[in-house]
Amino acid sequence: MKSIYQIAAALLLLSLKSYAQTTIPIETANYALVLQTDKNNYLSMVHFGKKLSQTADYKDIAGSFKFPDDNSGIYNNAYTPAGTWNLSEPAIQVTHADGNPSLDLKYLSHQTVKPDANTTLTTVQVQDPVYKLTVTLFYKTWNQENVIEQWVEITNQEKGPVVLQKYASANLFLSNKDFYLTSFQGEYLKEMQPQEEKLTQGIRTLDSKLGTRAMLLGTPNFMVSFGQPAQETNGMVLLGQLAWSGNYKLDFEVDSYKNLRLIAGINPYASAYTLAAGKTFKTPSLLYTLSDNGTGQASRQLQRWARKYRVLDGEGDRLTLLNNWEATYFDFDEPKLSGLFTDAKNLGVDMFLLDDGWFGNKYPRNNDKAGLGDWQENVKKLPHGLGYLVKEAKTAGVKFGIWIEPEMVNPKSELYEKHPDWVIRQPERPEKYYRNQLVLDLANPQVQDFVFGIVDGLFTKNPELAFIKWDCNAVIYNAYSAWLNKNKLPQSHLYVEYVNGLYSVLQRIRAKYPKVPMMLCSGGGGRGDYELLKYFTEFWPSDDTEPIERIFLQWNYSYFFPSITTDCHVTDWGKQPIKFRVDVASMGKLGFDIVVGHLTPNDLAFCQQALKNYTGFKDVVWHGDQYRLASPYENPVASVAYVSDDKNSAIMFTYLHTNRVMQSATERPIKLAGLEANKRYSVKEINLYPGTKSTLEEGKVYSGSFLMNVGINPDVNSRRASVVLQLTKAE
């Protein structure tokens, strides 16, 4: 029998163990997020910022702050629950199987593994001490890129179902004083418009309830700068995105001590999720990067990470193309298309893309009011089928791609007549259309099979098909799923299961067709997110292709996306000459949507030479580091440069975007960045219009130090509104 002293010693040891502080540093090369338990075993976030040189120092951070929390619970909880001691905005809110709406989460365990030299995965388990509900917090880091991916898995080990009322992906706590939020709002043809504001006490929410096309009115991208408005080259800044293709909610809450709490996840609006016993719910990821050298460094980190680890074939190649939409709209036939194949070859692009209007027979797709959902070639327009077009294009010397919109249906279609139960629609309400169409119910496995079959059928019949443009033009009205109702599942699952169903289809497509490039289109920027970009090589930023507007759009997208992902087409929009339009589109993945036969001889000659030049520098634009040199929001000119990894080459684009400047718009030189100071660079102006000469001294050599500290004047003015300079290491 143990003595009373042995029992006392054991109790003391147990007490010390239970009060032992656990510190969990989650580090990248330069920054750290630090979690720590308190004496009650609650898990808090105590640091988010610069990495400390001594790991042992992290344990002392929390004691340096004096934020009493008796009035509202623990402000800096790592994953704030609802219904017990906490009165702040929760990250998670549940109703247990017995109807109890409270949740308490205490630290249980953690582990850290390194899948490879650059990647670390830290998992932290917290658990309700009364109910068998476990939450696992995941933190995946990429060391050199300073990128963190964060998500949550909620496991129900109770005897009955638990209803998840709210289930955020991440709950961050930032103790720096004064925060400035830049969000990107807009509307159709005015996407990605930046709006910066100083956050004040209370909650600022960014959200979407559109179901699909989440980025039509706003985006799940955000920028938070610390202590000052966002700057390109200095200051601490956080860039982030919720990687989710449906309804999102981002809450930025400044608490009573002026700290910032960021809670990001699926929008809980109409989306309470019933989690059956023994099941686990996985949230989407919050992706973010931190920089103490401004937005430039942050975006380069995110772009580099995306190319290497997230975007499909992000370090690979892309196809330049000619699209027929502006040339023909819905009015085409085989001879007309064959002529366009010849135009594509003559222009010098890699591929011809056939857009909307090629399908439907009972209800031919001659406008956007019919045929969507009936994916058979229209026999009047294409009597010999797509296979004939693929062969004709190959004979002409170009590849062939096709447009589809497989998630949607026109009420005037055979698909709608046969399967009204496949359509998202309230049975007791009048149908409400967006662009004359409705959304198919991808929560339904039969619909998933149908959508997969569309793509599979195209490739099976036409194995040389080179490209797919995947469109999505409708939002979800009258949200209701006949399939969920039939299977006695809550209608509140629809918004979540629609997106999961879409991902399931794309996973099947990529398992069978891993390499075929696909463009993610959505009537203008509606789906540029890093979950979908696992399956797509690129996305369409906006239907607004007016080149001056595109300068601003592409500038804003570049904070979050590498140039290789952004489709930039030359069209007839705008009053600028063809040179200006081509130069602007050359800052991404170049394409054309023009009537080649309408070009003047000089315009055609310019486009042909510009495409040859593009072939020479596209690798730097797609895979190099981007530097935003002169902001169009602060100057009459915009200037952007791309620098190769080895610092041996660069390309610099400069544009005059206002006609109010009568004299030279670049009175002063523009300083470059990212070059190697001791290297010498030969500078040459390219993309010159036929019959014109550069005003710059051709082949002049400068040191990298000179170009970065003094700069170069591209001599942009009203007669030279667009200038492209190529820098090459001088031997």
Side-chain angles (χ1 to χ4, degrees):
M1 179 179 292
K2 292 182 179 178
S3 71
I4 189 170
Y5 301 106
Q6 289 174 312
I7 294 173
L11 289 173
L12 178 60
L13 182 62
L14 181 62
S15 174
L16 289 172
K17 184 177 180 181
S18 65
Y19 290 154
Q21 189 180 64
T22 300
T23 302
I24 309 169
I26 298 160
E27 297 178 317
T28 65
N30 303 108
Y31 306 101
L33 181 159
V34 182
L35 307 176
Q36 191 174 77
T37 59
D38 64 12
K39 64 180 181 180
N40 295 313
N41 225 24
Y42 288 119
L43 185 68
S44 298
M45 183 172 167
V46 298
H47 179 68
F48 185 65
K50 288 286 288 183
K51 178 180 178 180
L52 302 185
S53 59
Q54 301 296 320
T55 304
D57 289 345
Y58 289 126
K59 71 179 186 305
D60 298 322
I61 291 177
S64 302
F65 294 87
K66 305 298 180 184
F67 298 139
D69 50 32
D70 291 342
N71 63 324
S72 65
I74 301 176
Y75 284 113
N76 62 342
N77 192 266
Y79 196 66
T80 312
T84 50
W85 49 268
N86 172 64
L87 300 175
S88 298
E89 181 67 24
I92 181 170
Q93 183 178 4
V94 308
T95 302
H96 296 281
D98 64 359
N100 190 325
S102 67
L103 182 65
D104 202 14
L105 295 174
K106 295 196 173 188
Y107 169 79
L108 186 64
S109 65
H110 77 279
Q111 67 171 359
T112 299
V113 297
K114 287 186 67 65
D116 56 60
N118 193 45
T119 310
T120 301
L121 179 63
T122 300
T123 56
V124 185
Q125 281 198 328
V126 291
Q127 190 175 68
D128 192 302
V130 176
Y131 288 88
K132 292 185 177 180
L133 189 98
T134 302
V135 176
T136 306
L137 311 176
F138 290 81
Y139 302 85
K140 187 174 184 179
T141 66
W142 286 267
N143 187 58
Q144 293 303 315
E145 294 75 20
N146 292 305
V147 169
I148 300 178
E149 180 177 15
Q150 188 173 342
W151 72 95
V152 168
E153 292 185 5
I154 305 165
T155 302
N156 176 20
Q157 296 169 316
E158 299 181 26
K159 293 181 179 179
V162 170
V163 178
L164 308 179
Q165 310 288 351
K166 187 177 182 182
Y167 33 93
S169 300
N171 185 171
L172 300 180
F173 177 80
L174 291 70
S175 59
N176 313 67
K177 195 176 180 181
D178 294 332
F179 300 92
Y180 292 80
L181 169 67
T182 303
S183 57
F184 296 84
Q185 310 300 311
E187 58 186 276
Y188 179 58
L189 297 179
K190 291 184 179 180
E191 297 86 3
M192 208 65 182
Q193 303 298 311
Q195 176 178 300
E196 187 174 48
E197 59 194 297
K198 184 176 181 180
L199 293 172
T200 57
Q201 194 169 334
I203 297 180
R204 173 73 166 95
T205 297
L206 308 175
D207 74 339
S208 169
K209 302 181 182 70
L210 303 182
T212 63
R213 299 191 65 194
M215 291 170 64
L216 176 64
L217 304 178
T219 83
N221 305 301
F222 62 89
M223 181 190 302
V224 176
S225 57
F226 304 168
Q228 63 179 7
Q231 305 293 320
E232 182 70 17
T233 58
N234 65 83
M236 185 74 78
V237 65
L238 169 70
L239 292 184
Q241 179 198 89
L242 185 73
W244 178 247
S245 312
N247 295 344
Y248 61 85
K249 189 167 190 266
L250 309 173
D251 286 326
F252 299 85
E253 180 182 20
V254 175
D255 65 28
S256 59
Y257 298 106
K258 308 301 187 293
N259 302 307
L260 177 62
R261 303 174 71 245
L262 167 55
I263 298 175
I266 294 173
N267 196 332
Y269 164 76
S271 296
Y273 198 93
T274 301
L275 184 63
K279 297 295 184 180
T280 295
F281 182 92
K282 181 182 178 182
T283 72
S285 295
L286 180 70
L287 293 159
Y288 51 91
T289 187
L290 194 63
S291 160
D292 61 337
N293 290 301
T295 54
Q297 176 181 292
S299 61
R300 285 188 291 277
Q301 290 173 173
L302 199 55
Q303 291 172 5
R304 197 176 304 121
W305 166 85
R307 290 192 301 266
K308 189 172 183 179
Y309 296 104
R310 181 55 59 104
V311 176
L312 183 67
D313 198 23
E315 296 185 299
D317 205 353
R318 296 292 185 269
L319 298 170
T320 57
L321 60 84
L322 174 66
N323 194 347
N324 72 298
W325 183 246
E326 298 284 345
T328 68
Y329 293 99
F330 293 99
D331 183 20
F332 55 80
D333 55 21
E334 287 177 349
K336 185 179 288 188
L337 293 178
S338 293
L340 295 178
F341 298 160
T342 303
D343 285 346
K345 178 62 177 178
N346 188 33
L347 186 64
V349 296
D350 302 312
M351 183 184 69
F352 175 85
L353 173 62
L354 177 59
D355 214 292
D356 197 356
W358 59 269
F359 51 90
N361 287 297
K362 181 178 179 180
Y363 302 104
R365 182 73 168 174
N366 294 323
N367 52 53
D368 67 0
K369 297 179 180 179
L372 201 58
D374 302 340
W375 299 100
Q376 303 84 33
E377 296 97 321
N378 180 276
V379 294
K380 290 185 178 180
K381 294 181 182 180
L382 308 177
H384 298 97
L386 290 176
Y388 170 81
L389 296 179
V390 174
K391 291 179 182 177
E392 285 291 293
K394 185 176 182 180
T395 299
V398 292
K399 297 181 179 181
F400 183 85
I402 195 77
W403 177 96
I404 58 173
E405 191 175 4
E407 301 164 68
M408 306 296 161
V409 63
N410 285 126
K412 195 173 182 180
S413 67
E414 291 185 82
L415 178 65
Y416 182 90
E417 291 176 346
K418 293 176 182 177
H419 294 289
D421 57 316
W422 284 11
V423 180
I424 295 176
R425 53 194 285 273
Q426 285 276 2
E428 304 300 328
R429 304 288 182 187
E431 290 182 350
K432 173 71 174 175
Y433 306 130
Y434 191 98
R435 293 185 63 169
N436 304 301
Q437 61 195 60
L438 294 165
V439 182
L440 293 176
D441 181 10
L442 278 171
N444 184 340
Q446 287 182 292
V447 176
Q448 295 174 29
D449 290 341
F450 171 77
V451 174
F452 171 77
I454 294 168
V455 178
D456 189 40
L458 285 170
F459 284 131
T460 300
K461 295 175 185 176
N462 310 287
E464 292 188 90
L465 190 66
F467 188 89
I468 282 184
K469 178 182 177 182
W470 181 304
D471 215 337
C472 169
N473 285 311
V475 299
I476 294 177
Y477 290 127
N478 291 329
Y480 181 87
S481 165
W483 184 83
L484 289 174
N485 182 62
K486 179 181 178 181
N487 288 275
K488 297 181 170 54
L489 294 170
Q491 289 296 319
S492 59
H493 286 202
L494 176 57
Y495 285 125
V496 173
E497 295 303 349
Y498 177 88
V499 179
N500 285 335
L502 173 62
Y503 294 157
S504 178
V505 170
L506 292 168
Q507 288 162 9
R508 291 171 65 185
I509 290 171
R510 283 312 180 189
K512 190 169 183 180
Y513 306 102
K515 295 294 185 182
V516 178
M518 294 202 304
M519 175 203 296
L520 185 60
C521 189
S522 186
R527 279 186 162 179
D529 74 74
Y530 277 121
E531 193 62 30
L532 279 177
L533 284 170
K534 289 179 178 178
Y535 313 106
F536 290 83
T537 50
E538 57 220 66
F539 75 96
W540 182 240
S542 176
D543 278 353
D544 184 354
T545 56
E546 200 281 333
I548 288 180
E549 293 298 323
R550 270 295 178 124
I551 290 171
F552 289 84
L553 276 167
Q554 291 168 205
W555 181 276
N556 294 326
Y557 275 112
S558 76
Y559 287 116
F560 303 96
F561 300 101
S563 296
I564 195 171
T565 64
T566 54
D567 285 299
C568 305
H569 287 189
V570 179
T571 72
D572 290 330
W573 285 40
K575 299 178 181 179
Q576 289 69 32
I578 192 72
K579 169 179 164 50
F580 192 101
R581 287 178 272 150
V582 171
D583 289 351
V584 171
S586 296
M587 292 194 298
K589 203 218 80 167
L590 178 61
F592 289 79
D593 204 334
I594 57 176
V595 183
V596 177
H598 292 176
L599 295 175
T600 67
N602 276 344
D603 281 359
L604 177 60
F606 170 79
C607 290
Q608 291 169 331
Q609 184 59 50
L611 273 162
K612 292 177 182 177
N613 293 340
Y614 184 75
T615 299
F617 66 70
K618 66 183 181 182
D619 187 66
V620 180
V621 171
W622 291 349
H623 305 122
D625 283 331
Q626 182 198 50
Y627 293 87
R628 293 179 289 269
L629 306 177
S631 170
Y633 292 97
E634 301 170 1
N635 305 280
V637 299
S639 188
V640 177
Y642 302 85
V643 181
S644 64
D645 279 347
D646 60 12
K647 312 292 188 182
N648 286 340
S649 58
I651 190 85
M652 177 184 180
F653 300 88
T654 308
Y655 311 97
L656 175 65
H657 61 80
T658 175
N659 60 8
R660 297 182 65 185
V661 178
M662 301 305 294
Q663 69 279 8
S664 175
T666 49
E667 296 172 333
R668 296 174 175 81
I670 296 173
K671 296 177 182 179
L672 281 95
L675 304 175
E676 193 166 305
N678 294 327
K679 286 184 178 178
R680 297 184 63 77
Y681 295 90
S682 173
V683 179
K684 178 183 179 182
E685 182 175 355
I686 61 172
N687 281 18
L688 290 165
Y689 192 77
T692 65
K693 294 183 178 180
S694 176
T695 61
L696 307 182
E697 182 181 344
E698 183 173 350
K700 186 170 177 62
V701 175
Y702 303 86
S703 70
S705 177
F706 181 94
L707 292 168
M708 291 189 291
N709 290 285
V710 178
I712 189 168
N713 194 324
D715 190 23
V716 171
N717 55 55
S718 56
R719 295 178 302 279
R720 286 169 48 84
S722 171
V723 174
V724 182
L725 302 181
Q726 190 167 35
L727 286 71
T728 308
K729 179 187 173 185
E731 297 299 331

